[in-house]
Amino acid sequence: MKKTELLFGIPLALLMLAGCSSPAYDIEVYMSPKVKEKYQIRPSLEVDIVGVSQSGDEHFQAVPVNDYFTPGNALRDGTEHATLHFSEANGAPKLLPKSDEIWKKFADSSSAKLYLLVNLPLPTDSKQKTDPRKVAIPLESTGWFGSDTRYFEISTSGLNPLKKRPDYATEEIQTEKKEENHEI
């Protein structure tokens, strides 16, 4: 009887532990071709991915994106985050893989949400209550059948979560993930 319990008990325990691990995603960020059309170049942009605890959420939500990206900003300097860089010379889609060490730091700081912020200029005619350059998503387990990939697009008006890779992403980009330089 004990051998049978061990035979089934150990794999079951391992499966339960795997299900309880801290959430981590492959974050893919794309720059819409419309951004290049609008600016006539691919502008140099940064996208920060920040893990925020439940207690820090309200404060982080209130910080204006322009203030956050101001050089020497205490919030940006004091938080664990990953930065993805886009430029005219390097406008390729970017990947923050779920294997990156930042996910352990997010787990260690009890992060409950991910904030993505892009330092894109805010349209002068924007009268929105929330800044479209800042997106928050819950940091939660994907379960057995959920996807562990999250897609985002930098558009001319801000940062948009997507349900899948954008249609303009080529087949080559979709299948080849280069972990060096966080490029896909």
Side-chain angles (χ1 to χ4, degrees):
M1 188 69 163
K2 287 205 181 244
K3 287 182 182 179
T4 305
E5 289 174 3
L6 283 175
L7 182 63
F8 291 107
I10 291 175
L12 182 61
L14 290 173
L15 286 173
M16 288 174 49
L17 286 173
C20 297
S21 64
S22 297
Y25 310 130
D26 283 332
I27 304 283
E28 296 182 12
V29 182
Y30 297 83
M31 185 183 297
S32 169
K34 292 180 181 181
V35 174
K36 184 174 181 178
E37 287 174 24
K38 179 178 180 175
Y39 295 105
Q40 302 302 308
I41 63 165
R42 283 188 193 97
S44 293
L45 299 172
E46 295 177 324
V47 175
D48 274 9
I49 302 169
V50 187
V52 178
S53 67
Q54 197 67 37
S55 62
D57 182 46
E58 190 174 322
H59 175 69
F60 206 89
Q61 201 171 39
V63 172
V65 173
N66 289 342
D67 292 352
Y68 175 83
F69 281 108
T70 300
N73 178 275
L75 181 62
R76 186 177 190 203
D77 291 345
T79 58
E80 294 292 348
H81 65 275
T83 303
L84 306 177
H85 301 273
F86 291 86
S87 68
E88 176 63 24
N90 188 359
K94 305 295 183 271
L95 169 70
L96 177 66
K98 63 184 174 186
S99 61
D100 194 282
E101 286 296 313
I102 195 70
W103 293 104
K104 181 169 179 0
K105 294 175 183 178
F106 291 164
D108 291 347
S109 64
S110 301
S111 296
K113 281 189 179 177
L114 286 183
Y115 275 85
L116 285 84
L117 302 95
V118 61
N119 64 345
L120 184 72
L122 186 62
T124 53
D125 60 347
S126 180
K127 295 187 176 19
Q128 298 180 12
K129 288 185 178 185
T130 59
D131 192 328
R133 301 170 299 165
K134 181 180 357 179
V135 173
I137 63 168
L139 186 55
E140 54 195 13
S141 176
T142 58
W144 290 95
F145 302 106
S147 173
D148 60 356
T149 303
R150 300 292 181 264
Y151 307 97
F152 297 89
E153 177 185 58
I154 302 167
S155 71
T156 56
S157 61
L159 195 58
N160 304 311
L162 303 172
K163 292 185 186 260
K164 62 182 182 78
R165 286 185 183 98
D167 292 337
Y168 56 80
T170 65
E171 187 67 25
E172 180 182 333
I173 290 173
Q174 291 180 22
T175 57
E176 183 182 351
K177 290 186 178 182
K178 300 177 192 170
E179 290 197 22
E180 298 135 26
N181 299 322
H182 297 288
E183 291 182 16
I184 299 174

